[in-house]
Amino acid sequence: MPTNPWRGIGLDVYESHMSDPDVGQLAALLGITAAQLRDHPSRRVGIRGIAAGNGLDALDETEVDSVSGYDINADYLEACRSRYEARFGDRMHLIECSIDRSLAITPTDLLIANLLIEYIGIDEFAAFVAANTTAIGVPSCVTQRNGEVGVVSKTKYSSAFVGLESIASEVDPDALAAALSAVGWFEVSRSEHPLPNGKVLTRQDFAATS
Ligand SMILES: C[S@@+](CC[C@H](N)C(=O)[O-])C[C@H]1O[C@@H](n2cnc3c(N)ncnc32)[C@H](O)[C@@H]1O
């Protein structure tokens, strides 16, 4: 199986690209993650596709028992560890893995998955949620609509992201809601967050049907 292209994108390049003024995604995701944490105060927080921990600054270390971060890129996780270990200590658990239906997670009150579903697909994400239903409190997800921009925003770093075009697919929020509904989770809220270059981030929160 070919290596996942995310493993070949350096953190400096990734963060420079995402914080380019025309892209503005790092800051937008930081703000949305802060809102997710505020809206769902949780002692056990899980973040899928955590990268280097964007958003953890918004988490009060005195208010959590565990922070679990999952990502396919080991270098991102190492950076996350060095940035946040002093704050979270042994309550932070960073796991290098490919997120799919075979992944069994530790119980999590709030499960954040921001800009991850594009890369694993709606069906795989729904199967992952279904397989871990008893371990999840609230799933809160962010996906992006690309408009005319395309999957990879234009910056001087864009060439490093070309490999993602082979694995990325745009997520229709209605299709995501339908897929999660089919496995027992209904959408309780949706909000849209436009970006400088015309892309739009959509946040959707879910609750179990029973
Ligand atoms: C666009 S970044 C999102 C970063 C972060 N959620 C944020 O809010 O800034 C996507 C992240 O998902 C990770 N990722 C992509 N596909 C993955 C997979 N199949 N399994 C685990 N992590 C994956 C990438 O390595 C990257 O860190």
Side-chain angles (χ1 to χ4, degrees):
M1 189 195 276
T3 300
N4 187 299
W6 273 107
R7 290 197 165 110
I9 300 172
L11 184 62
D12 283 356
V13 168
Y14 167 69
E15 292 188 334
S16 298
H17 175 78
M18 294 284 274
S19 55
D20 183 281
D22 282 343
V23 178
Q25 288 199 7
L26 214 56
L29 286 165
L30 176 62
I32 294 170
T33 307
Q36 290 167 312
L37 294 166
R38 192 171 56 241
D39 294 346
H40 305 287
S42 303
R43 304 274 339 162
R44 300 171 302 178
V45 176
I47 303 181
R48 308 293 166 261
I50 191 171
N54 187 29
L56 288 184
D57 287 327
L59 191 55
D60 182 343
E61 61 271 27
T62 66
E63 301 282 321
V64 288
D65 296 326
S66 67
V67 181
S68 303
Y70 296 73
D71 206 283
I72 202 165
N73 186 312
D75 294 339
Y76 295 179
L77 293 175
E78 198 43 51
C80 184
R81 188 183 314 283
S82 76
R83 288 177 186 177
Y84 295 101
E85 193 167 43
R87 281 185 53 198
F88 297 106
D90 62 7
R91 286 169 295 153
M92 188 169 72
H93 310 283
L94 299 175
I95 298 110
E96 180 192 355
C97 63
S98 178
I99 297 166
D100 58 33
R101 68 188 72 198
S102 68
L103 178 66
I105 61 168
T106 54
T108 294
D109 303 318
L110 172 62
L111 175 96
I112 292 173
N114 294 347
L115 293 198
L116 169 75
I117 303 169
E118 284 77 2
Y119 305 106
I120 69 173
I122 289 177
D123 291 346
E124 199 60 36
F125 183 70
F128 157 75
V129 171
N132 288 280
T133 281
T134 56
I136 300 172
V138 174
S140 182
C141 316
V142 171
T143 55
Q144 68 180 6
R145 307 302 295 271
N146 300 319
E148 313 240 306
V149 181
V151 174
V152 179
S153 301
K154 301 285 174 286
T155 68
K156 64 180 177 182
Y157 309 100
S158 303
S159 61
F161 296 83
V162 168
L164 296 182
E165 289 170 356
S166 65
I167 61 164
S169 54
E170 189 164 297
V171 174
D172 174 1
D174 290 337
L176 177 60
L180 286 191
S181 171
V183 294
W185 294 83
F186 67 97
E187 185 178 0
V188 290
S189 67
R190 184 184 295 197
S191 56
E192 298 210 323
H193 308 263
L195 297 172
N197 64 4
K199 288 192 179 194
V200 177
L201 300 181
T202 302
R203 171 183 164 191
Q204 293 169 271
D205 292 4
F206 297 86
T209 24
S210 58

